[in-house]
Amino acid sequence: MGKGGQPRRAQAHDGELGAAVARAQDGDEAAFAVAYRLVQPRLLGYVRGLVGDDAEDVTSDAWLEIARDLGRFKGDGAGFRGWTATIARHRALDHLRRQRARPRPSALEQDVLDLPGPQSTHDQALEAISTERALELVAGLPRDQAEAVLLRVVVGLDGPAAARVLGKRPGAVRMAAYRGLKRLARQVGGESVTDAASRTLGESK
């Protein structure tokens, strides 16, 4: 069972990631490369969901900032994933503003009831949105839903961490992820994965 409802495959690397980050902060370049390898695939998927084809350039800019500010980071492996997602999000939003495509703020501001579900469906949800086609579908969601799905399923953040990245309350992020996955289920015409996944992403912790 993953702490905070994180996808197990993300959480499984958090110990290794935290150790690599600590060594990198002491100047170990090889350790920074390990941290990059553990974080980059999910971070790139998140940014691709926000900016599309420009994701690699935006993510590269984010990593320059991450490397520059690494000494200021305090936290563990899960915290590092949240911190890097925050930096990447700022870069992505700057990119979108430059394209005069300012994202609309979410209208969903109130906390909602917890939406419990089985942990085992996280991996299924990750599989469901790991393809390029699926990322295109996610990008078509309302922005609050798209970001919630990307942070929870692709980056693997728990609800409170995703809420901190987005500057929202956890309940709002849980509901946005739930609604986003329900909409994806209708788009792909199959409820089997996303129904369960959306319940899982609604967990309170």
Side-chain angles (χ1 to χ4, degrees):
M1 295 284 184
K3 175 185 175 184
Q6 296 178 52
R8 289 189 303 278
R9 281 181 291 186
Q11 188 199 10
H13 296 301
D14 279 349
E16 180 183 0
L17 177 58
V21 170
R23 293 196 309 272
Q25 288 179 313
D26 288 334
D28 186 336
E29 293 184 8
F32 185 81
V34 171
Y36 175 89
R37 175 178 56 81
L38 291 172
V39 171
Q40 170 64 0
R42 290 172 181 272
L43 195 65
L44 181 61
Y46 170 51
V47 175
R48 182 170 287 126
L50 298 179
V51 303
D53 292 340
D54 295 328
E56 292 194 10
D57 289 341
V58 171
T59 307
S60 293
D61 288 343
W63 277 105
L64 290 174
E65 184 175 341
I66 291 163
R68 184 193 71 200
D69 294 342
L70 185 63
R72 295 181 4 208
F73 170 73
K74 291 179 173 48
D76 57 9
F80 186 74
R81 285 189 291 111
W83 183 67
T84 56
T86 299
I87 290 174
R89 181 175 190 263
H90 289 160
R91 290 288 183 170
L93 295 183
D94 286 345
H95 177 79
L96 291 172
R97 288 186 189 105
R98 286 194 297 271
Q99 292 183 325
R100 305 183 68 82
R102 196 182 195 94
R104 297 186 306 276
S106 168
L108 185 65
E109 292 295 336
Q110 61 192 39
D111 282 346
V112 295
L113 295 175
D114 292 345
L115 302 166
Q119 299 269 354
S120 62
T121 54
H122 275 300
D123 286 344
Q124 292 176 325
L126 181 60
E127 296 286 352
I129 69 167
S130 62
T131 66
E132 291 292 326
R133 171 62 181 149
L135 284 172
E136 290 175 10
L137 291 174
V138 171
L141 294 172
R143 182 157 300 279
D144 65 317
Q145 295 178 16
E147 287 207 69
V149 169
L150 290 165
L151 286 170
R152 295 296 308 273
V153 182
V154 176
V155 181
L157 300 184
D158 63 17
R164 285 192 295 272
V165 171
L166 296 174
K168 298 178 183 296
R169 289 189 289 271
V173 175
R174 287 194 298 273
M175 181 52 82
Y178 175 82
R179 289 181 172 175
L181 284 166
K182 289 290 285 185
R183 180 177 290 204
L184 289 177
R186 289 193 297 270
Q187 288 179 325
V188 300
E191 298 282 337
S192 59
V193 168
T194 45
D195 254 2
S198 59
R199 289 196 300 274
T200 301
L201 289 182
E203 289 174 352
S204 60
K205 299 198 187 275

